[in-house]
Amino acid sequence: MESAVAVISWGCHLLATKTALYEITPVTLIIMRLVMAVFLLFIIAKSTGRDFSIDRKNHSYIFLLALIAVFHLWIQVTGLKYTTVSNTGWIIGTAPVFMALLGFVFFRKGCG
């Protein structure tokens, strides 16, 4: 059941983003999305009672990964402003294939 909800949510997010872009800017949308994510993750962390503490030595890596994620989201939302939902879906859907191919070409790493 959880996987069905995840698939439906993932499938609707591009359409919802495209619709929201008629009213707000990409930057505003990204900020709203990130604030909602932090709020929901905080609720999940508190309700499960798990320890999510992070070593200080990992802060720079986490910050770098967060910057990459925000940059990716900015490119996706800005691109969605100028093209269709189906084009964006194809680009996002084929990205893992190209990442695997580029990883093989540049790092000689196979899948597995």
Side-chain angles (χ1 to χ4, degrees), residues 28-106:
T28 304
L29 184 63
I30 292 167
I31 290 170
M32 289 171 55
R33 187 171 171 173
L34 292 175
V35 168
M36 280 191 337
V38 167
F39 180 70
L40 289 173
L41 287 174
F42 179 78
I43 290 172
I44 291 169
K46 287 297 181 184
S47 66
T48 59
R50 289 189 173 169
D51 180 26
F52 287 97
S53 60
I54 301 168
D55 292 337
R56 282 204 176 270
K57 65 179 181 175
N58 293 328
H59 281 190
S60 59
Y61 296 118
I62 293 170
F63 183 73
L64 178 64
L65 290 173
L67 282 178
I68 292 169
V70 169
F71 183 66
H72 164 78
L73 188 58
W74 177 73
I75 289 172
Q76 178 183 328
V77 172
T78 303
L80 191 57
K81 186 175 180 177
Y82 299 106
T83 189
T84 63
V85 172
S86 58
N87 283 344
T88 305
W90 276 106
I91 292 168
I92 292 170
T94 58
V97 174
F98 288 108
M99 289 308 205
L101 291 173
L102 289 171
F104 177 75
V105 168
F106 289 106

Side-chain angles (χ1 to χ4, degrees), residues 14-35:
L14 290 175
L15 185 59
T17 301
K18 182 74 171 180
T19 304
L21 285 172
Y22 290 119
E23 300 294 327
I24 58 177
T25 66
V27 173
T28 304
L29 184 63
I30 292 167
I31 290 170
M32 289 171 55
R33 187 171 171 173
L34 292 175
V35 168

